[in-house]
């Protein structure tokens, strides 16, 4: 009786299935090990890059101060180069708009009030902004604005979906082919309007900001008239602090 | 379709039969026909229409008056009204469906289409399917027949049953076969029909019991089983879908006689050979030759090209604000920790350096001078506190005296 029990007939398909499952398990294991190795290497790369950028920003600040001092010593003035990067926020709602300005705001991806986008400065964008001036507030963001916006309200466009930037993997998936693999890479690309600014900016979903704490002065007027619309150059940073 | 090994169905011998050593009758091909409840419901519904008797209202109903409308101007509605006088009926509305005693809306007519035609092949396919269902004990039990004590399915009885003449003997035979429970259930279920049918010559209803199918024409078996409530008898050459699937539900309990069972192959043919009794009729082929999904899925042919099973559920990562949550920042920017630490240290160093620088620039008081200064400060403290009230806690708070 015991010998009969020992010779249990196992169907061939079951044996094959078992072998296949072992193969799959082995594959899965090797893949997991590989991935872990890659991610640990990645962290080192990301650390090095972040450090490099931090030094770069510091150097830039110091350089600016130095150049200004030099010029002052010589009795002249240092004129810093014109800004390359703009941050545009839509400050008016959606009703009663001329169709042409509506279209331009759509092209700028500002479809909702208090939506913000980064923008490269060139003839084309300046002219577009001129057309929609009464609907937007814009200016030149600094490092803190860019970094805080991307860290707190950064979402990426992956597969047409709005995915939060919780992990550098999200960024790598979206912009890996442009050698942008972490959030600091992204911040650097935006801030210094690098060669892949277009792709990096398009990857970022338009920022959904909150209504500014402390309020706006007067939406209807231009900034120079005591209102809020139009170019407010460096004072956009204060507005971003209140809206982020 | 390859001729699969057909199981043998043993024939039940009744009391008084000669003991035979027959192995049994091979299962007829009909019993392997595909079971199609959809076809059966369709055909059953249509075929049930065919024994209907027409009903209609009388042609003249509601029109046996010479009513005419009074027209306008008489402060009454314009419905035709019965003429004449001296009776209640005079002046009452007539003809309309809304009038009392008027003709109904759309009076029912006898030329309504009562019967439905069904394609011959469809009818035959339905019967074949119903027969196949009678061979499956699960379906028969599901239909509600009491077949717990039936020894074999399908139940085939020797031909001596066809010679039974008396109902008492019929009952004995049923008991021998274990089929009496079903017949008894039918007998006990006789009751009065709910609804108007009871006053329309359809007073009593009962459940269906077994269906006895016999093979030879003119058998006495019909008369023997005729009086048992719920039990029906049928000749194998004239099987009725309404008996095989009563109410459109598959799986009537059928008791076959040996000759009837053997005749089934003649009457219905097989999957290749057409039937001899039904011209050109070949049994319908099933859509899948192997309907066992379990075997199909677990077969090697399928499993060899299947991807590995993925049981991990990808849930979305909880989004934490990197400007507030330390773990979230470090996940995104591993350099943040060192940067913050360096900044803190630098700030501390800067504060310290500034303090030292200021201190070094301050004029240093000599020891004597600093003592005098300290004494003066202490004297001032005693001056500002009111000694009368220093015992009371409440006042010491106002006075700023540190006790």
């Amino acid at each position: 009786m015991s010998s009969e029990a020992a010779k249990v007939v196992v169907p061939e398909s079951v044996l094959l299935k078992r072998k296949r499952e072992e193969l799959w398990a082995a594959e899965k294991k090797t893949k997991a090990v590989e991935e872990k190795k890659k991610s640990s290497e990645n962290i080192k790369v990301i650390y090095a890059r972040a450090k490099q950028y931090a030094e770069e920003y510091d150097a830039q600040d110091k350089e600016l101060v130095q150049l200004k001092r030099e010029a002052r010593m010589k009795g002249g003035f240092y004129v810093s180069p014109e800004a390359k990067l703009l941050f545009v926020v839509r400050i008016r709602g959606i009703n009663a708009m001329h169709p042409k300005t509506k279209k331009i705001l759509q092209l700028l991806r500002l479809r909702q009030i208090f939506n913000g986008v980064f923008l490269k400065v060139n003839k084309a964008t300046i002219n577009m902004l001129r057309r929609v001036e009464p609907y937007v507030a814009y200016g030149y963001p600094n490092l803190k604005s860019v970094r805080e916006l991307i860290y707190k309200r950064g979402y990426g466009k992956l597969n047409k979906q709005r995915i939060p930037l919780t992990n550098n993997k999200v960024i790598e998936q979206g912009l890996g082919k442009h050698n942008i693999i972490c959030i600091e890479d992204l911040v650097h690309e935006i801030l210094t309007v690098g060669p892949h600014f277009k792709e990096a900016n398009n990857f970022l979903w338009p920022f959904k900001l909150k209504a500014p704490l402390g309020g706006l002065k007067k939406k209807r007027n231009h900034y120079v008239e005591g209102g809020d619309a139009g170019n407010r150059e460096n004072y956009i940073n204060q507005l971003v602090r209140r809206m982020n | 379709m390859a001729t699969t090994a057909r199981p043998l169905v043993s024939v039940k011998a009744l009391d008084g039969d000669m003991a035979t050593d027959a192995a049994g009758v091979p299962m007829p091909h009909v019993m392997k026909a595909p079971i199609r409840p959809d076809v059966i419901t369709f055909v059953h519904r249509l075929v049930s229409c065919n024994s209907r008797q027409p009903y209609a209202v009388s042609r003249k109903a509601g029109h046996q008056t010479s009513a005419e409308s009074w027209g306008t101007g008489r402060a009454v509605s314009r419905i035709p009204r019965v003429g004449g006088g001296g009776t209640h009926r005079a002046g009452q509305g007539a003809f309309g469906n809304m009038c009392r005693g008027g003709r109904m809306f759309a009076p029912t007519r006898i030329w309504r289409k009562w019967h439905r035609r069904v394609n011959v092949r469809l009818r035959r396919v339905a019967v074949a399917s119903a027969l196949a269902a009678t061979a499956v004990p699960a379906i028969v039990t599901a239909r509600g027949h009491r077949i717990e004590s039936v020894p074999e399915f399908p139940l085939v009885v020797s031909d001596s049953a066809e010679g039974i003449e008396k109902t008492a003997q019929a009952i004995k035979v049923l008991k021998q076969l274990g089929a009496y429970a079903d017949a008894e259930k039918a007998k006990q279920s006789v009751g009065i029909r709910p609804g108007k049918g009871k006053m329309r010559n359809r007073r009593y209803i009962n459940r269906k019991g077994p269906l006895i199918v016999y093979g030879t024409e003119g058998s006495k078996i019909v008369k023997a089983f005729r009086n048992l409530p719920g039990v029906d008898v049928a000749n194998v050459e004239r099987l009725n879908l309404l008996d095989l699937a009563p109410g459109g539900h598959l799986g009537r309990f059928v008791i076959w006689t040996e000759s009837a069972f053997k005749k089934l192959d003649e009457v219905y043919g097989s999957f290749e050979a057409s039937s001899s009794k039904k011209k050109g009729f070949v049994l319908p082929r099933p859509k899948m030759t192997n309907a066992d999904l379990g075997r199909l899925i677990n077969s090697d042919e399928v499993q060899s090209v299947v991807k590995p099973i993925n049981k991990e559920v990808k849930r979305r990562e909880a989004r934490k604000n990197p400007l507030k949550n330390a773990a979230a920042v470090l996940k995104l920017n591993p350099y943040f920790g060192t940067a913050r630490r360096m900044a803190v240290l630098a700030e501390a160093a800067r504060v310290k350096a500034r303090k030292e620088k200021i201190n070094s620039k301050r004029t240093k008081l000599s020891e004597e001078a600093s003592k005098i200064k300290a004494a003066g400060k202490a004297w001032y403290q005693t001056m500002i506190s009111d000694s009368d009230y220093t015992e009371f806690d409440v006042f010491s708070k106002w006075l700023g005296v540190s006790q």
Side-chain angles (χ1 to χ4, degrees), chain B residues 31-299:
Chain B
M31 302 299 195
K32 297 285 172 206
I35 297 179
R36 292 284 303 265
D38 57 324
V39 171
I40 292 193
T41 3
F42 181 72
V43 175
H44 180 90
R45 199 161 18 98
L46 296 180
V47 159
S48 309
C49 298
N50 293 343
S51 59
R52 297 211 283 175
Q53 286 183 353
Y55 60 84
V57 274
S58 162
R59 292 273 269 146
K60 301 186 274 191
H63 281 284
Q64 298 182 66
T65 43
S66 60
E68 259 199 63
S69 172
W70 287 356
T72 49
R74 294 248 237 145
V76 291
S77 72
R78 293 179 274 172
I79 190 82
R81 292 177 185 277
V82 177
T87 174
H88 280 296
R89 185 67 178 139
Q92 284 181 343
F95 292 153
N97 52 312
M98 61 283 223
C99 299
R100 180 177 182 275
R103 156 227 5 100
M104 66 180 274
F105 164 72
T108 45
R109 298 294 191 214
I110 54 164
W111 56 79
R112 175 195 301 224
K113 185 171 149 198
W114 302 101
H115 307 97
R116 295 288 182 277
R117 50 178 307 280
V118 191
N119 298 343
V120 175
R121 184 171 168 77
L122 243 191
R123 274 183 259 148
R124 289 173 176 169
V125 162
V127 173
S129 193
L131 279 173
T134 62
V136 183
I139 299 181
V140 177
T141 322
R143 205 188 157 275
H145 292 287
R146 299 279 181 270
I147 52 170
E148 288 89 18
S149 345
V150 172
E152 187 179 351
F153 240 79
L155 184 58
V156 184
V157 169
S158 72
D159 275 337
S160 55
E162 297 200 357
I164 299 176
E165 290 190 28
K166 305 291 273 174
T167 308
Q169 237 212 320
I171 294 179
K172 238 199 269 172
V173 164
L174 284 180
K175 284 193 176 145
Q176 273 174 35
L177 295 170
Y180 190 62
D182 204 29
E184 194 173 358
K185 171 191 101 179
K187 182 160 133 189
Q188 289 183 344
S189 68
V190 173
I192 299 185
R193 183 190 295 264
K196 288 282 193 306
K198 65 165 110 32
M199 29 168 128
R200 294 180 183 173
N201 309 328
R202 287 171 251 132
R203 194 164 178 86
Y204 295 101
I205 51 171
N206 58 319
R207 302 289 92 72
K208 289 272 182 211
L211 172 69
I212 320 282
V213 181
Y214 63 94
T216 21
E217 197 61 56
S219 301
K220 303 276 175 55
I221 194 176
V222 184
K223 293 239 184 103
F225 282 92
R226 197 163 67 175
N227 203 26
L228 295 168
V231 177
D232 295 322
V233 196
N235 186 326
V236 76
E237 300 192 7
R238 296 184 293 277
L239 285 170
N240 190 351
L241 181 66
L242 302 174
D243 288 330
L244 289 171
H249 300 132
L250 291 168
R252 180 89 184 263
F253 175 33
V254 179
I255 301 176
W256 304 89
T257 59
E258 192 179 345
S259 45
F261 207 63
K262 286 195 184 138
K263 249 198 189 167
L264 272 177
D265 258 341
E266 263 180 58
V267 177
Y268 287 97
S270 70
F271 293 98
E272 278 103 42
S274 64
S275 125
S276 36
K277 292 283 165 74
K278 302 189 193 290
K279 190 163 84 164
F281 177 67
V282 177
L283 284 173
R285 278 178 299 168
K287 272 270 184 285
M288 288 172 87
T289 48
N290 179 13
D292 188 344
L293 269 184
R295 282 292 291 270
L296 285 170
I297 291 173
N298 289 320
S299 71

Side-chain angles (χ1 to χ4, degrees), chain A:
Chain A
M1 272 257 282
S2 61
S3 64
E4 273 177 38
K7 277 205 329 183
V8 172
V9 175
V10 180
E12 192 186 329
S13 59
V14 173
L15 290 169
L16 284 166
K17 178 83 181 170
R18 268 192 214 152
K19 211 194 304 171
R20 239 177 269 126
E21 289 190 336
E22 282 170 19
L23 260 163
W24 286 338
E27 256 183 52
K28 207 167 169 191
K29 216 182 202 168
T30 50
K31 238 196 187 162
V33 166
E34 253 185 62
E35 269 216 46
K36 211 163 178 194
K37 212 173 83 179
K38 214 161 58 153
S39 75
S40 66
E41 280 176 18
N42 239 356
I43 290 180
K44 291 200 198 105
V45 171
I46 293 172
Y47 185 93
R49 283 195 194 181
K51 188 151 175 244
Q52 176 208 335
Y53 295 145
E55 289 166 1
E56 199 182 301
Y57 300 142
D58 263 346
Q60 271 178 16
D61 287 340
K62 289 205 177 71
E63 199 192 345
L64 179 65
V65 170
Q66 203 198 30
L67 286 167
K68 282 197 168 165
R69 284 183 182 164
E70 239 186 82
R72 239 179 293 143
M73 273 204 314
K74 299 230 183 83
F77 303 95
Y78 175 71
V79 181
S80 38
E82 284 179 17
K84 290 184 286 183
L85 176 68
L86 285 171
F87 185 65
V88 188
V89 188
R90 180 174 176 154
I91 52 176
R92 300 203 91 186
I94 225 165
N95 301 349
M97 279 189 73
H98 190 279
K100 291 217 166 135
T101 46
K102 189 154 93 158
K103 177 66 173 178
I104 295 176
L105 283 171
Q106 277 178 19
L107 292 173
L108 294 170
R109 298 194 293 162
L110 298 168
R111 280 176 188 259
Q112 195 182 28
I113 191 174
F114 304 137
N115 270 7
V117 293
F118 289 110
L119 207 53
K120 196 180 345 198
V121 169
N122 54 34
K123 191 76 170 17
T125 57
I126 294 179
N127 282 350
M128 284 167 89
L129 286 173
R130 190 172 300 139
R131 292 284 288 269
V132 299
E133 208 143 60
Y135 291 86
V136 296
Y138 58 96
Y140 315 133
N142 61 17
L143 168 64
K144 186 172 157 88
S145 299
V146 174
R147 186 184 262 149
E148 296 211 329
L149 280 169
I150 294 183
Y151 271 60
K152 183 171 182 187
R153 292 193 192 260
Y155 285 73
K157 184 166 58 168
L158 279 182
N159 205 5
K160 302 211 184 133
Q161 293 180 340
R162 181 173 183 255
I163 309 289
L165 302 177
T166 48
N167 208 334
N168 286 322
K169 280 205 182 65
V170 178
I171 297 171
E172 187 171 354
Q173 217 179 324
L175 297 169
K177 58 167 125 44
H178 302 300
N179 204 19
I180 300 174
I181 57 171
C182 61
I183 204 164
E184 279 298 315
D185 275 343
L186 184 56
V187 167
H188 180 258
E189 189 72 22
I190 298 287
L191 189 58
T192 60
V193 188
H196 298 291
F197 177 83
K198 180 184 157 76
E199 287 84 3
N201 195 19
N202 195 273
F203 170 73
L204 283 171
W205 202 275
F207 298 96
K208 291 177 181 289
L209 306 167
K210 67 171 176 253
L213 296 170
L216 294 167
K217 261 286 156 41
K218 199 179 203 185
K219 269 204 263 203
R220 286 173 281 145
N221 288 4
H222 195 284
Y223 189 72
V224 298
E225 304 176 282
D228 295 294
N231 192 353
R232 59 170 76 189
E233 302 197 355
N234 288 310
Y235 293 98
I236 193 73
N237 291 305
Q238 293 175 4
L239 183 60
V240 168
R241 297 288 169 279
R242 289 191 290 136
M243 288 179 89
N244 194 11

